[in-house]
Amino acid sequence: MADYKNADMFLRSFTDDLIPKVYPGLKLDEDGQNFTELLPSFGAFDENQKYVFTPEGNKFKEVFKNLSNKELEIKPNINNPSWPDGGYYAPYNKDGGHSDPNKRTVYISPTGANSPEIIAHEAGHAMDPTIQQNAKYINNAYQARTPSELLNAHLKRTNFKAEVEGQRAAVDLLNRSDIPTGGIRSDPYFKMYPASYIDKGIEETNRFASSYPIPNQLKPFAQDVYAQDGKIIYPLKLNEPSVQIFDFNDRRTKGMLNLGLNQKYQDTIQETLKRARSYIDQKLGS
């Protein structure tokens, strides 16, 4: 086996810096000023985990009802660790989801409860009539025959369009509530957040398309390949400390290089990025 001493370092730099992105040069954690501090609070959770609206929050709630003909309910996000500092809306829930005739429920973490942007974004999802079509979770990636087909299939399962609509609707709701949105719209995060779904999709497709066959005895450990720097640590005998290390770094490197030399795949990536930028600019402003 070839000895790639710096293979993991190479792959990390390749993944983080060289893979094309919708908005290259920007990162989600470089989103500038925290405009939440400049905006009025919509409320907070009390000791009984009930959301108590401020006057500004009640006005926002009234705007939401006028537009949707539904009550807005805010509950604490305490059961979903995927969004520890943010929030979510569950359109398929019978209670507070799209089939509820009376209300829409958004779940906000206690740390994000004073963020009008987060509440408005989730309220935007709650008003989106197409969210159940745009939030796709099933695809036919297993039928893909080429990296380009795999990328197109994989991106069909992202929430990209739903997140763009969430951002658009958030600004509209805030404007109607007389909340200034100039700072939010000028913040790179405003467009970078929905764009990140495309960026992540390309990164994941690169990983899948450059994957390698895993021996059957290692498949239960396959999910640890990337978490353990491209190595699978496999016990030789049950309940014994002796292990065998399977290092796949060289195969990963070769797979990524082959993708980089696949012109059709690279053209597909560029077309995907161009379409994503055009869609975001059309919906959120250029």
Side-chain angles (χ1 to χ4, degrees):
M1 180 168 58
D3 181 15
Y4 288 85
K5 294 182 178 179
N6 298 314
D8 190 62
M9 182 180 298
F10 166 78
L11 281 171
R12 287 179 180 175
S13 65
F14 188 92
T15 300
D16 293 342
D17 300 326
L18 299 182
I19 290 179
K21 291 179 170 53
V22 177
Y23 295 104
L26 295 177
K27 295 183 179 180
L28 280 177
D29 59 354
E30 295 176 355
D31 57 353
Q33 186 174 359
N34 182 2
F35 292 100
T36 300
E37 298 176 356
L38 305 179
L39 300 178
S41 169
F42 281 172
F45 292 107
D46 64 15
E47 64 275 8
N48 297 315
Q49 298 299 302
K50 179 181 178 181
Y51 195 80
V52 180
F53 287 90
T54 63
E56 292 83 2
N58 277 321
K59 184 173 183 178
F60 179 86
K61 186 178 179 183
E62 181 181 350
V63 168
F64 180 89
K65 185 175 182 179
N66 289 338
L67 292 174
S68 67
N69 197 31
K70 303 291 187 298
E71 293 288 344
L72 177 64
E73 180 182 49
I74 299 179
K75 288 186 175 182
N77 171 22
I78 56 177
N79 297 320
N80 196 324
S82 300
W83 296 276
D85 296 316
Y88 69 94
Y89 168 68
Y92 300 99
N93 283 2
K94 291 183 179 180
D95 182 25
H98 262 42
S99 62
D100 192 317
N102 301 313
K103 66 181 179 181
R104 296 291 182 265
T105 302
V106 299
Y107 298 85
I108 306 296
S109 71
T111 58
N114 290 323
S115 172
E117 301 103 309
I118 294 177
I119 293 173
H121 177 89
E122 301 308 329
H125 284 322
M127 291 179 54
D128 182 0
T130 65
I131 191 170
Q132 291 171 295
Q133 290 78 43
N134 286 334
K136 300 175 184 288
Y137 300 99
I138 301 175
N139 70 342
N140 295 319
Y142 64 90
Q143 297 178 347
R145 296 168 296 177
T146 68
S148 294
E149 290 180 1
L150 178 61
L151 176 61
N152 289 329
H154 185 58
L155 290 179
K156 286 180 180 179
R157 69 187 292 271
T158 72
N159 292 346
F160 168 66
K161 288 187 177 180
E163 296 304 334
V164 172
E165 174 58 22
Q167 295 292 71
R168 186 209 63 78
V171 166
D172 182 54
L173 285 167
L174 291 171
N175 282 333
R176 292 173 182 268
S177 304
D178 297 324
I179 303 296
T181 60
I184 296 172
R185 287 183 284 108
S186 64
D187 190 333
Y189 185 87
F190 182 56
K191 291 184 176 182
M192 280 289 295
Y193 176 65
S196 70
Y197 282 77
I198 298 296
D199 297 340
K200 184 178 180 181
I202 293 173
E203 182 178 344
E204 290 177 346
T205 302
N206 284 346
R207 186 182 70 195
F208 298 150
S210 63
S211 62
Y212 34 79
I214 303 294
N216 288 333
Q217 72 270 28
L218 298 183
K219 286 183 178 179
F221 303 90
Q223 67 271 19
D224 296 327
V225 172
Y226 277 76
Q228 297 185 15
D229 297 333
K231 300 179 179 67
I232 297 179
I233 301 177
Y234 177 70
L236 295 178
K237 292 183 179 180
L238 189 64
N239 298 325
E240 288 190 8
S242 58
V243 297
Q244 184 174 358
I245 297 177
F246 295 82
D247 191 340
F248 293 97
N249 271 318
D250 59 337
R251 300 187 195 182
R252 290 171 60 194
T253 304
K254 290 175 183 177
M256 293 295 283
L257 289 174
N258 286 336
L259 282 182
L261 296 173
N262 186 327
Q263 190 59 53
K264 183 176 181 180
Y265 178 62
Q266 296 304 317
D267 290 344
T268 301
I269 288 178
Q270 293 304 320
E271 292 169 4
T272 299
L273 297 175
K274 183 178 179 180
R275 287 197 304 268
R277 282 192 295 268
S278 177
Y279 187 83
I280 292 174
D281 289 343
Q282 176 189 358
K283 296 293 184 178
L284 304 184
S286 56

